[in-house]
Structures are given as structure tokens and as C-alpha cells.
Amino acid sequence: AQSVTQPDIHITVSEGASLELRCNYSYGATPYLFWYVQSPGQGLQLLLKYFSGDTLVQGIKGFEAEFKRSQSSFNLRKPSVHWSDAAEYFCAVSPGNQGGKLIFGQGTELSVKP
Amino acid sequence: GAVVSQHPSWVICKSGTSVKIECRSLDFQATTMFWYRQFPKQSLMLMATSNEGSKATYEQGVEKDKFLINHASLTLSTLTVTSAHPEDSSFYICSAKGGGGYSGNTIYFGEGSWLTVV
């Protein structure tokens, strides 16, 4: 069965520091991969997605993610974190033949120190 | 850009009553919509897939008779929590997918609906 693992439940970084949030997936073929951000009590905002092609994907708000097939990973990165980036981040996978159904990781809560 | 709207954003209901949550795609036609449930500090769990004009497909462990889903038009899906109990209190989020094949489409999420059963 498909699954997504985000190993880090909570990460704290200093403002201006770099960030990497980990995501590993389990799926037999190349899945469609997503990163979403959720502020408390709100819905989800898509940061970026990977379907095919260039394995380094650029998203909104200065985020990027790299798909590594050999490691079954899709880690999210940002070179310099801003205080407004504090939120919950979800990695999700959509099996290619299931048209939009998403399986989410457990989420990583990001705190930003001033 | 495309927008998915949920209504109501917040709802409080008495135990034993039913409550309906709407999910609308505002500027595109959504052939498929999805309903998720999220408990505090937890991830989103897919409840069901809602297809316009046909029965919803429920995930394992989700009670079909308790969580009624209707997708009567290409822009509206509704989730009705029947005979609600306090354990049904949760954040319910819908997403919508446009038509024309998946690889070019993006999944859009609604803002979510908080349900509190007292």
C-alpha cells in the first residue's frame, strides 16, 4: 500500500537559517508528489508539486523540493526561513492512476525562532 | 485562480442531530471531489471520493450511513454527518479536481469546516 512518512514531527529553526523537511514515500511506480502548508485552523495551500521531468521543483514562497527516486524521497527546502513560514507542512502522494486521491504524511510542525 | 469554498466554516450542533457541509468549486467544474478528516495535531485522512452523478467511494473504516456524500452537480458536493456525536467533532476538508485527465490538473483544497458536537 502507498504511504508517506515525514520523520520529523517538529522542527525549530532560527529565522534566516536554511530549512529541510524530509519526506519519504512508498509506492511501486513514480507517484505524483506534493507539499502543502497549513496554518492553524485553516485549509491547505499548495507549495509545489512533482509529476515528471526535472527532479528539482520550484514552488511558491521560495520553497523547492527535490525528487530522488533512488531514495524514495521528496524533501522540501528553503535557503532562508522567515518567521511567517511557521506552520504545519504536509507531504502527500497521489498514485498516478487514482486521479487526485492524496495520501498525506503525518506532517511536520515548523517553529521559527527570532 | 481556481477556488474551492466550504460552508460553513464553523458549526456547532447538538449530539444526535445531523449537519451538512458544502464544498463548492467556484470557477471550474469538478468532476471529482474528495473529503478528508483531520483531528487536532494530526494528518488528513481521506474519507471518501465523490464523483458527480454517481455514488461516493468510501475508504475502509468510514461509515457510509453516517457520512452521507452527495455530488449532485459539477460544482457542489455535500457531506452530511448524520446523528452526530462528540467523537465526530473534527476539521473536515474537501478538495476538488477538474476534468480532462490528471497530469495537468491541480488539486484545490477548501478552507475546511470545523464541526463541534456538544
Side-chain angles (χ1 to χ4, degrees):
Chain A
Q2 303 89 6
S3 65
V4 179
T5 301
Q6 293 178 245
D8 305 304
I9 295 174
H10 188 197
I11 284 181
T12 300
V13 299
S14 298
E15 190 168 16
S18 63
L19 170 71
E20 182 170 33
L21 302 182
R22 296 183 292 166
C23 173
N24 293 95
Y25 67 88
S26 172
Y27 181 60
T30 300
Y32 300 137
L33 296 159
F34 305 81
W35 274 100
Y36 288 89
V37 60
Q38 184 181 37
S39 296
Q42 297 187 22
L44 300 176
Q45 182 181 23
L46 178 67
L47 290 175
L48 47 78
K49 60 187 177 184
Y50 172 78
F51 289 167
S52 65
D54 193 345
T55 56
L56 184 61
V57 181
Q58 301 298 320
I60 63 171
K61 302 185 178 185
F63 286 94
E64 66 177 27
E66 185 171 12
F67 170 60
K68 292 186 177 180
R69 184 191 304 274
S70 61
Q71 299 177 20
S72 297
S73 69
F74 189 58
N75 294 347
L76 181 71
R77 300 193 294 249
K78 186 170 185 177
S80 178
V81 170
H82 189 262
W83 64 267
S84 60
D85 293 324
E88 188 85 18
Y89 290 79
F90 291 99
C91 180
V93 60
S94 178
N97 63 349
Q98 296 192 33
K101 173 180 175 179
L102 293 180
I103 300 167
F104 285 86
Q106 302 91 321
T108 298
E109 182 180 3
L110 174 65
S111 297
V112 180
K113 293 190 299 184
Chain B
V3 176
V4 174
S5 177
Q6 281 184 241
H7 178 79
S9 300
W10 298 82
V11 58
I12 299 174
C13 70
K14 291 185 178 180
S15 185
T17 64
S18 296
V19 60
K20 181 185 289 186
I21 300 171
E22 295 184 346
C23 177
R24 292 182 185 273
S25 56
L26 297 184
D27 56 0
F28 68 101
Q29 292 183 331
T31 56
T32 307
M33 291 182 173
F34 302 87
W35 286 96
Y36 296 83
R37 181 175 184 178
Q38 185 181 30
F39 291 105
K41 297 292 187 180
Q42 294 189 26
S43 187
L44 288 81
M45 299 300 294
L46 179 66
M47 298 175 66
T49 302
S50 174
N51 297 297
E52 187 269 335
S54 64
K55 290 183 178 180
T57 303
Y58 290 82
E59 295 299 304
Q60 190 173 9
V62 178
E63 298 177 61
K64 301 178 183 181
D65 295 332
K66 182 165 189 62
F67 298 100
L68 301 180
I69 291 173
N70 184 29
H71 195 151
S73 76
L74 285 170
T75 60
L76 174 64
S77 175
T78 59
L79 169 67
T80 301
V81 183
T82 63
S83 186
H85 291 284
E87 58 265 30
D88 298 324
S89 299
S90 186
F91 191 50
Y92 293 88
I93 309 178
C94 72
S95 68
K97 168 187 170 307
Y102 181 77
S103 64
N105 295 317
T106 297
I107 306 299
Y108 301 96
F109 279 85
E111 313 96 324
S113 299
W114 282 102
L115 169 62
T116 300
V117 184
V118 298

